[in-house]
Amino acid sequence: TGATIEMNLAARDPKAEKQALDAAALVFVDANVVVVNKPSGISTVPFDPEGMGASIALRSQPGEEATLDQRVRTALAKREKARGRSGPPPEIGVVHRLDKETSGLLVFTRSWSAKKALMADFRSHTVHRRYLALVHGVPEGGRIETHLIEDRGDGLRGSVEHRRGRNRALAGEKTQRAVTHIDVIERFENAALIGVELETGRTHQIRIHLAEEGHPLLGERVYIRGFRGDVIPAPRVMLHAAELGFTHPLTQEAVSWS
């Protein structure tokens, strides 16, 4: 009783400002898709123990950092407001993800028909994705094909072909075919800049394949067991989604960004 409270309605929330997405990060926007240049250090969606299907319904709790999908929704709402349109932040659909530390191009959908079409494209491996990566040593390049399992025997996700002992799937063991294409762009004394193209898109596929070939990514902290070379320090996993291309779900034209 007797206390005075003063509120400045025009003041900006410093935390909200910090978690805002730079407008330049919205690379392309139309009624069906939004292509984003994801910064490193932001999760694509909130952690979802049930898998990608439920993740779009989750929202960060008070005190949690806003994820990329939420920042994109806010950025889209700001665009609409600047054009004189008001309303709640629009819903967007998740069709693929990038790891928290990975930067680069990622697409969200803005309509159910676009989500259905792009999910089918990702399943049929017709989406073009090329990454740039810095790795320990110099790989030979070429094509890597393995079958990924949840536990390769040491508690980590990995290829059944690189499991100690039996290098074939056990009865009832679920495997995922994973194909990665690598080309060496530049060689250094004890590292290399490489280009990586995904034929399939499995969880941690690039990180696993490169580590199992003896060339873990710089900044790798998980898939680096057994690496006997000198570890080059890096502030994060040095992986960047440099190119993205697909058939536009409405126009059926080939679209791409780099």
Side-chain angles (χ1 to χ4, degrees):
T1 303
T4 300
I5 298 174
E6 181 177 336
M7 181 186 296
N8 180 0
L9 296 177
R12 294 183 175 184
D13 179 358
K15 184 176 180 181
E17 288 289 310
K18 184 179 179 182
Q19 297 203 6
L21 192 68
D22 191 319
L26 298 181
V27 176
F28 176 82
V29 180
D30 69 9
N32 290 275
V33 298
V34 51
V35 177
V36 183
N37 186 13
K38 175 189 172 299
S40 174
I42 301 174
S43 297
T44 304
V45 293
F47 173 72
D48 175 15
E50 300 302 322
M52 189 181 295
S55 63
I56 197 63
L58 298 176
R59 294 287 178 260
S60 60
Q61 300 302 309
E64 292 181 349
E65 184 180 30
T67 51
L68 182 66
D69 66 325
Q70 294 168 302
R71 297 182 197 216
V72 169
R73 292 173 71 244
T74 301
L76 290 174
K78 286 182 178 179
R79 279 172 58 100
E80 295 298 306
K81 186 175 181 180
R83 297 176 181 183
R85 304 168 187 164
S86 60
E91 291 297 333
I92 57 175
V94 179
V95 289
H96 73 131
R97 290 183 272 196
L98 295 176
D99 290 346
K100 183 174 183 177
E101 293 189 7
T102 302
S103 58
L105 294 168
L106 180 142
V107 60
F108 292 102
T109 56
R110 302 188 68 191
S111 66
W112 170 243
S113 58
K115 182 173 183 178
K116 188 164 61 171
L118 277 179
M119 288 186 74
D121 289 345
F122 275 102
R123 280 195 298 268
S124 60
H125 314 308
T126 59
V127 177
H128 170 70
R129 284 174 289 172
R130 178 175 166 83
Y131 293 73
L132 295 176
L134 286 168
V135 299
H136 291 86
V138 181
E140 291 184 2
R143 183 177 184 273
I144 302 172
E145 178 175 354
T146 67
H147 296 80
L148 299 182
I149 51 177
E150 287 300 319
D151 186 350
R152 62 186 183 190
D154 60 357
L156 291 179
R157 183 173 174 80
S159 301
V160 67
E161 290 85 353
H162 288 263
R163 179 166 56 186
R164 291 182 179 178
R166 189 182 179 93
N167 59 1
R168 291 183 310 219
L170 304 174
E173 190 172 38
K174 293 182 179 180
T175 66
Q176 290 182 309
R177 176 176 171 268
V179 182
T180 306
H181 300 268
I182 296 171
D183 63 281
V184 179
I185 299 171
E186 189 170 356
R187 293 170 170 80
F188 305 107
E189 183 178 347
N190 54 355
L193 172 66
I194 65 171
V196 182
E197 289 194 29
L198 288 180
E199 186 173 319
T200 61
R202 311 303 186 189
T203 302
H204 297 172
Q205 176 177 320
I206 294 174
R207 295 169 62 188
I208 291 169
H209 272 175
L210 289 169
E212 290 179 343
E213 291 294 311
H215 302 284
L217 290 167
L218 269 63
E220 181 63 75
R221 295 183 298 277
V222 178
Y223 302 104
I224 199 164
R225 293 180 187 174
F227 179 65
R228 296 175 181 172
D230 294 330
V231 175
I232 303 170
R236 68 172 178 95
V237 172
M238 302 304 283
L239 184 63
H240 177 72
E243 298 175 13
L244 176 67
F246 51 84
T247 300
H248 192 284
L250 179 66
T251 66
Q252 296 301 303
E253 294 178 352
V255 290
S256 62
W257 296 267
S258 61

